[in-house]
Amino acid sequence: PAKQLERLFALIAQWLPLSADAEVSVEVNPLDLTDERAEVLARAGVNRISLGVQSFQDRKLEALDRDHRAIEIEAAVQRANRIAASVGLDLIFAAPEETLAEWRADLAAALATPVQHVSTYGLTLERGTAFGTRQQRGELVPVVEDLQRDMYVAAIEALTEAGFEHYEVSNFARPGHRCRHNENYWLGGSYFAFGPGAARHLAGVRETNHRSTTTYIRRVLAGQSPVAEREELGSEDRARELLVFAMRRLEGIDRNAFRQASGWDVDDLAAGAVAKFERLGLLASHGNRIALTREGLLVSDALWPEFLAP
């Protein structure tokens, strides 16, 4: 309810006063962004909204178990633009039975909206999830890898041709509209987070809130900690994680900056992996900087385990 949402923001503001130039981001499902809630977000200082649109096609939305339909997206985008300086859309490709033409139609629909940021994610069918269970039962067939690759390339081409900067594996922004939280995250910085399932990273400690909305709200309003999980990594593990996160950025990493930030040299952590992937044309060195190549972008998730392993 909007009244509970407003009270929650008031409690947050008491604990964490915001500077005038702070970026306050909220992720919202399209159906949840009513006029009343939009007003609450505006009064709370929210200036960046990410809408979990996923698709502009009803068949695909139904297959993804989303509760909104295409006709409702335009109103959500309009409400978001009234209160936020930056509005982004999350899109999913490689949904069951999706074709390349359907994905291109989603990209075209996204580009027809007045948004400043687009994130594209390939659907993964993981064991233990609803989609993973349906796959095991033979109820759905995943999109073949070659088609997934073509869909990702189509996103890169369509969005960059429209003036979006491809700045991270899955993220595209108009100039001046990169997500500051994401940039900070990939560079290993500290960050606060509020809400069910939200994750924070402070003083080297990572915590995740309860994912249940009712449990989260009940605990916060009662003055109790909403934290469900807590993790503190050792020095080498933190450095390896930072290496992987930073390498997701198309700018890659600067060796000297990485050493200053982590206390570790890249070659001490992953000299073999770097050399191997350079030989394969998946990484390229530019002076003191290492970055993914275009081919590396297409298979980046397969590279990271070799950077994370001691």
Side-chain angles (χ1 to χ4, degrees):
K3 289 184 178 180
Q4 280 191 321
L5 182 63
E6 190 155 26
R7 186 180 175 192
L8 180 60
F9 273 112
L11 290 172
I12 292 171
Q14 290 176 13
W15 183 67
L16 181 67
L18 298 174
S19 62
D21 65 342
E23 178 181 284
V24 185
S25 299
V26 173
E27 295 186 10
V28 185
N29 292 323
L31 277 184
D32 294 335
L33 191 61
T34 62
D35 287 331
E36 186 179 19
R37 287 173 180 159
E39 290 175 7
V40 171
L41 296 179
R43 288 195 295 270
V46 172
N47 50 24
R48 186 181 186 96
I49 290 179
S50 177
L51 290 168
V53 168
Q54 317 307 358
S55 177
F56 289 81
Q57 300 172 62
D58 289 347
R59 183 199 66 79
K60 182 175 169 182
L61 288 168
E62 185 173 355
L64 293 172
D65 292 331
R66 302 299 296 179
D67 61 357
H68 67 277
R69 293 297 177 260
I71 195 171
E72 293 152 337
I73 295 175
E74 182 179 356
V77 172
Q78 290 178 350
R79 290 190 184 101
N81 268 305
R82 283 201 298 267
I83 65 172
S86 288
V87 177
L89 303 180
D90 286 356
L91 297 177
I92 288 180
F93 62 88
E97 300 182 14
E98 183 176 17
T99 66
L100 181 58
E102 288 173 324
W103 172 236
R104 290 186 188 278
D106 266 348
L107 292 168
L111 289 171
T113 65
V115 299
Q116 296 79 36
H117 193 280
V118 176
S119 299
T120 64
Y121 303 104
L123 180 66
T124 56
L125 305 179
E126 297 179 353
R127 184 181 297 273
T129 66
F131 286 113
T133 300
R134 289 170 59 189
Q135 180 188 14
Q136 287 182 310
R137 293 173 178 168
E139 296 174 0
L140 59 82
V141 178
V143 171
V144 297
E145 288 187 6
D146 285 349
L147 180 52
Q148 290 189 43
R149 176 190 176 105
D150 290 344
M151 288 177 170
Y152 181 46
V153 170
I156 295 173
E157 293 176 346
L159 291 164
T160 55
E161 287 174 6
F164 282 76
E165 175 189 17
H166 188 191
Y167 71 102
E168 191 269 345
V169 172
S170 301
N171 288 271
F172 304 79
R174 293 200 181 278
H177 289 275
R178 288 187 180 191
C179 179
R180 287 160 56 186
H181 166 72
N182 286 353
E183 289 273 81
N184 179 62
Y185 176 82
W186 296 318
L187 293 174
S190 295
Y191 49 89
F192 295 97
F194 306 93
R200 67 185 57 77
H201 178 241
L202 299 170
V205 176
R206 186 185 296 111
E207 295 178 328
T208 304
N209 292 339
H210 279 274
R211 288 173 171 78
S212 165
T213 301
T214 54
T215 299
Y216 174 83
I217 292 176
R218 184 175 65 252
R219 283 177 170 261
V220 170
L221 295 181
Q224 300 173 351
S225 170
V227 174
E229 301 168 13
R230 187 179 189 275
E231 180 184 27
E232 185 171 2
L233 298 177
S235 173
E236 182 177 344
D237 287 337
R238 287 201 305 271
R240 289 184 180 280
E241 184 179 87
L242 173 60
L243 178 60
V244 169
F245 285 159
M247 287 290 290
R248 290 183 60 90
R249 302 167 71 243
L250 266 71
E251 296 169 5
I253 60 168
D254 178 86
R255 289 176 177 270
N256 293 333
F258 179 81
R259 186 183 304 111
Q260 292 175 1
S262 69
W264 289 76
D265 190 271
V266 172
D267 289 332
D268 290 337
L269 296 171
V274 171
K276 171 184 175 180
F277 295 135
E278 283 187 335
R279 288 196 303 271
L280 294 174
L282 305 177
L283 290 179
S285 293
H286 309 279
N288 211 37
R289 185 169 292 277
I290 308 169
L292 290 166
T293 64
R294 178 66 173 267
E295 285 302 309
L297 268 175
L298 301 178
V299 295
S300 61
D301 283 348
L303 311 187
W304 308 140
E306 296 199 32
F307 287 96
L308 292 171

